[in-house]
Amino acid sequence: MAQSIQETQEELIEEFGLFDDWADKYEYLIDLGKKLPSLSDDLKTEENVIKGCQSRVWLHAEKQGDQIVFEADSEAVIVKGLISMLIRVLSNHTAEEIMKADLYFIDQFGMSQHLAQTRSNGLLSMVKQMKNYALAFSAK
Amino acid sequence: MTLDIQKIRADFPVLDQQVNGSPLIYFDNAATTQKPKSVIDALSHYYASDNANIHRGIHALAERATTAFELTRTKIKEFINAPSSDQIILTAGTTGSINLVAQTFGRANFSKGDKILISNLEHHSNIVPWQMIAEEKGAVIEVIPVDERGVLDLEAYRNLLDTSVKLVAVNHVSNAIGTINPIAEMIQLAHVHGAKVMIDGAQSIAHLDIDVQALDIDFFAFSAHKLFGPTGVGVLYGKRELLESMPPYQGGGEMIKEVSFDGTTYNELPYKFEAGTPNIADVIAFSAAIDYVNALSKEALFTQELALLAYATEQLSTIPGLRIIGTAPEKIAVISFVMDGIHPQDLGVLLDKFGIAIRTGHHCVQPLMKRFELPGTCRASFAFYNTFEEIDLFVKALRRSINMLQ
Ligand SMILES: Cc1ncc(COP(=O)(O)O)c(C=O)c1O
C-alpha cells in the first residue's frame, strides 16, 4: 500500500528539518525544482496554466485506475520546487483523498511566509487547482 | 550642498529595521517611496488634533482642517510651478487623475476616427483609461514605438502626428526602465498639430524638476506616495481653459454650487472635480513631504540618485550573463535587468531572504515587456536615501543568489 498523504508530509517536514539555515532550505528546494521532469510542450497549454502566479505554472492531471496523477512545470525554479513537493504529497492518490487532504506541511518549514502567503508564487492557487481536478474526476 | 545621508536616513523610520535577519535594503522606490517622520507625524497630528470635515464647517476644527488642506494645494502649485492653486485638482492618485481626464476631456472632445497617441513605454494606468473612452467614442489609439535602448522613436512620433490627433498621453519617465522622455520637444510638436498633451509624471515628480508652465504641459498627473507622501492622494494639473471647458467627473457633494430637482449648477475650479469628502488627512500630511524635499536641495538629491545609478550600473555590468534592459542615455535611478537562464521571480525571492526589496515581474507595462520579448525583469529603483554600501551588499547578494540558482 502506498504512503498516505499525511506520511509524505511528515517525511518532507523531516527532510527540511535537517537544515537550520534558510539558504540550505532554498538550495534543497531549488534542487527539487531542477530534478522535477519538465512537462512536455504539448501539455503546456493555455488551459493548463494556473492563474495568479507571477511566473507561468502549468498543471496537468490524469486519472490512472482510481488514482490521480499530477504533472506540472514552471518557468521559475523555486516555484517548481514547491510544485515538486505538492506532487509528491498529492499525486497517486484517489480523488477523495486529495479533496480531503489537509496540507499542513507548508506551514512547518519556517518558510511559510514566502510559500503560502504571497499570492504571486501561486502556491495556494496550485493547491486549489489540484483539488478542483480531484473534484472534477470524482464527478465523472 | 552635500547631503548627509546618514542624517537623512534617520528621518525615515521604516529604513531602520531587519528583514529576514539582515538590515532592510529598500530598492523598490519606483513602486512607492518611504515616508519621512514628519509626514507620519503630520498624519497622526491631524487625527489627534484637527480632524474635521472641510469647506463646510464654521467651527474651529473645520477651519484649521480646511486651511491645512488648502495649504497643501498651494504647496503643490509651487512645487510644479502652476500658475494658480485652483488648477490643482486633488485625486486619489495618478490613475485617478488620468481617468478623470479620459472621462471628462476625452468624453467631451473625442469623436469617431480621432486619434490618441500613447507610447510603448506606458504604464497600464496610462493605457486602459484611453482604451475605455476610445472604445466608447470610436477613437483610435496609436502607439509611439521604442528602440532597443528603450528610447522613444521621435521620427515615428512626428509621422504619427496629424490634425486627427486629439491627445498625446505619455509618461515623463518610464517606471519599468527609467527612460526620461523628451517631453518638451514632444509637447511642442503636438501643439503644432493642435493636439493636447497629458503627461504621466508618476515617476518624474520625485526625480526631476517640474515646471508645468515652462514645459507648456496641458495636463500633468502624479501620486503623492511616489514623492515621499501618503498613499491615496494624487494630483491633476490642467491648463485653466481646458479644466473650465471640461464637464464634471463624478457627481456629489463639494462639486456643486446649487442643487435642485430641476437641475444643478456646478462649483468652480478645483471643486468641480472634487466630489465628496476628500482624503483630508493624507492631503494635509502630503504637505510635510513637499516641505521635506524643498528643505533639501533638489539638485543635491538628484545628483546623489544619479551617482547611485552610475555605480549600480557599473557593478551590475560585471556579472556575467546579466543584461540591463533600458539603456537610454537619459535615465532616472531605475535599473531593470534579466539574467540568462534564471526567472526574475527566483531572484526576487532569494534577494528578499537577504533583506533586499526589489520588484520583479511585468511592472504593469505588459506591452513594453512584449516589445523586449521578456516575461518580466528584476527592477532596482533608488531614492536619495539609498547608499553605495547598500548597492555593494545588493550586488553581493545577487551574485550569491545567482550561484544558488545556477
Ligand atoms: C508611470 C506610472 N504611471 C502611473 C502609475 C500609477 O500610479 P498610482 O498607482 O499611484 O495611481 C505608476 C505607478 O506605478 C507609474 O509608475
Side-chain angles (χ1 to χ4, degrees), chain A residues 21-24 26-27 30 34 53-56 75-79 110-111 113-114 120-122, chain B residues 20 342-350 352-354 359-362 375 400-401 403-406:
Chain A
D21 186 13
W22 73 264
D24 294 337
Y26 273 80
E27 261 164 6
I30 291 164
K34 286 183 177 163
C53 312
Q54 201 183 87
S55 52
R56 275 193 299 176
E75 299 166 323
V77 71
I78 294 175
V79 173
M111 309 165 72
Q113 159 219 1
H114 236 120
S120 60
N121 71 39
Chain B
N20 292 322
I342 294 180
H343 194 275
Q345 189 188 357
D346 286 323
L347 288 175
V349 167
L350 294 182
D352 176 61
K353 299 303 293 181
F354 289 101
R359 183 54 69 102
T360 63
H362 57 60
R400 173 98 197 272
S401 305
N403 265 337
M404 284 174 72
L405 290 161
Q406 271 173 347

Side-chain angles (χ1 to χ4, degrees), chain B residues 59 67 75 111 127 140 216 235 262 328:
Chain B
H59 53 78
T67 306
K75 285 183 184 168
S111 37
I127 300 176
V140 185
D216 200 18
V235 172
D262 299 325

Side-chain angles (χ1 to χ4, degrees), chain B residues 318-353:
Chain B
T318 63
I319 298 179
L322 185 145
R323 186 156 59 97
I324 291 177
I325 306 299
T327 49
E330 299 277 325
K331 275 179 71 171
I332 62 153
V334 165
I335 305 188
S336 248
F337 61 92
V338 292
M339 200 42 226
D340 278 350
I342 294 180
H343 194 275
Q345 189 188 357
D346 286 323
L347 288 175
V349 167
L350 294 182
L351 287 170
D352 176 61
K353 299 303 293 181

Side-chain angles (χ1 to χ4, degrees), chain B residues 30-31 93-96 98 123 125 171 173 175 200 202-203 223 225-226:
Chain B
T94 308
T95 306
I98 296 172
H123 188 281
S125 290
N171 58 35
V173 167
N175 65 303
D200 169 355
Q203 294 295 337
S223 302
H225 73 90
K226 298 198 198 259

Side-chain angles (χ1 to χ4, degrees), chain B residues 221-238:
Chain B
F222 69 92
S223 302
H225 73 90
K226 298 198 198 259
L227 182 62
F228 316 101
T231 52
V233 177
V235 172
L236 173 66
Y237 158 80

